[in-house]
Amino acid sequence: MTSVGYGTGTIKFVPNNKQSPSLNYSQRSLIEVLQLDIGGYSLRACDLDNKKEKIFDFQFKNSDFYKFAHSPNQRDEIRHNDGTYYVSLNQHARTQFHKALRQCFELLESKNQQSADVDSAIFVEIHNLSEYIQHGEANKADELIKKLIKSGVQLQVKHLKEPLDEQTFPIRIKIDGFDSDITDLNKFFDVDVYPSTTVHELRAFFEYTLKFPLANQYFFVNGHLAHAESTMNDLKVKNGSLFVLFLIKK
């Protein structure tokens, strides 16, 4: 990993649980943004005056968790699942650290947008595969199957009685779960689907895009568990319907 930027100052942690005490770290607390060898970025902090005690260390994929202070007299805020870290950076390092972190956020935003544009095409390709098979276009189907398998999409055979003539529509998916290590917890994703798109295909989509194992994913809609073989039409979802993707750790 490579250090992109760092700063020193005082860090205070205020837990969401009001019954738990706040934690105050020394004025020589170090906060650092790192570029990971496997791709992506992480933010970590330690207390230099207390045997380099770890304050936090987590990977991030967007800028939602970090709030920049508007002036040197204010504190940055880092929102975590368990509470909020308040960071007062020393002036001489504050500007450079903010600049480095903002550059990381800009790169991630650009990458996420490109990824979303590509990933949304997966459902279109799965839909096209169904049409190729129905119309006997074996060569096109074979090439598309190879492409989907190479990209990591897990396919299932489904026998169709009638040709599909469908239009996509958007649904919204919220990530939920008990695991505090999930970086996308409480984040919303907008996904375009077909009426014939199955819950299994949604699970494969999130396994491919966010590396969530299939066995760890449970989709809920309208307060009920959505079974893998159910289609959007079966579930009677429509434009803008909300799914909850609940993740468990196995």
Side-chain angles (χ1 to χ4, degrees):
M1 62 182 66
T2 304
S3 178
V4 178
Y6 67 91
T8 57
T10 302
I11 298 177
K12 179 179 181 178
F13 176 68
V14 178
N16 292 330
N17 184 351
K18 302 303 182 182
Q19 296 181 346
S20 299
S22 298
L23 301 175
N24 292 286
Y25 299 94
S26 77
Q27 294 182 357
R28 291 187 67 244
S29 295
L30 172 72
I31 182 170
E32 187 174 24
V33 58
L34 301 160
Q35 184 171 14
L36 304 177
D37 296 334
I38 59 174
Y41 299 93
S42 70
L43 193 68
R44 71 181 182 186
C46 65
D47 190 337
L48 298 178
D49 280 345
N50 190 18
K51 299 180 181 179
K52 295 185 179 180
E53 176 190 359
K54 184 176 77 171
I55 301 174
F56 57 75
D57 185 357
F58 57 86
Q59 188 175 352
F60 60 87
K61 298 180 180 179
N62 53 60
S63 62
D64 295 349
F65 70 97
Y66 202 97
K67 180 180 179 182
F68 292 96
H70 296 297
S71 70
N73 296 326
Q74 296 178 318
R75 297 178 295 181
D76 292 355
E77 296 181 14
I78 301 173
R79 300 180 182 89
H80 192 265
N81 296 328
D82 299 325
T84 303
Y85 293 92
Y86 295 91
V87 182
S88 299
L89 292 169
N90 295 328
Q91 185 57 36
H92 71 279
R94 179 176 181 273
T95 301
Q96 290 301 318
F97 176 75
H98 280 184
K99 180 179 179 181
L101 190 56
R102 282 193 169 98
Q103 288 176 342
C104 294
F105 290 157
E106 289 173 2
L107 290 171
L108 284 174
E109 184 178 351
S110 175
K111 181 179 178 181
N112 290 341
Q113 184 58 51
Q114 293 173 4
S115 177
D117 293 342
V118 173
D119 295 337
S120 294
I122 291 176
F123 292 115
V124 176
E125 292 184 329
I126 292 174
H127 185 264
N128 289 340
L129 176 60
S130 298
E131 292 191 335
Y132 292 156
I133 293 173
Q134 289 176 74
H135 297 129
E137 299 181 65
N139 291 335
K140 289 184 177 180
D142 183 58
E143 289 301 317
L144 187 50
I145 288 172
K146 291 177 181 177
K147 178 181 177 182
L148 290 169
I149 292 176
K150 186 176 180 180
S151 69
V153 176
Q154 296 190 21
L155 301 174
Q156 286 186 330
V157 176
K158 183 170 62 175
H159 299 287
L160 300 173
K161 297 180 180 179
E162 299 178 358
L164 296 175
D165 184 16
E166 302 177 311
Q167 299 295 320
T168 61
F169 62 90
I171 60 173
R172 173 158 281 200
I173 299 172
K174 179 186 178 183
I175 308 297
D176 200 355
F178 295 130
D179 188 356
S180 60
D181 293 331
I182 301 171
T183 57
D184 295 294
L185 198 64
N186 296 320
K187 185 174 180 180
F188 289 87
F189 291 84
D190 293 316
V191 179
D192 288 332
V193 296
Y194 290 93
S196 62
T197 296
T198 65
V199 172
H200 172 80
E201 290 168 354
L202 285 177
R203 292 168 66 190
F205 171 79
F206 279 95
E207 181 184 45
Y208 170 67
T209 56
L210 296 179
K211 311 306 179 187
F212 297 153
L214 285 177
N216 294 15
Q217 299 182 41
Y218 291 85
F219 275 92
F220 291 84
V221 63
N222 298 325
H224 299 285
L225 177 66
H227 297 288
E229 299 303 321
S230 299
T231 66
M232 301 298 102
N233 194 46
D234 295 334
L235 298 170
K236 296 181 172 56
V237 301
K238 55 187 179 180
N239 190 320
S241 289
L242 175 65
F243 279 78
V244 174
L245 170 50
F246 195 88
L247 299 172
I248 63 172
K249 203 170 186 179
K250 291 188 176 181

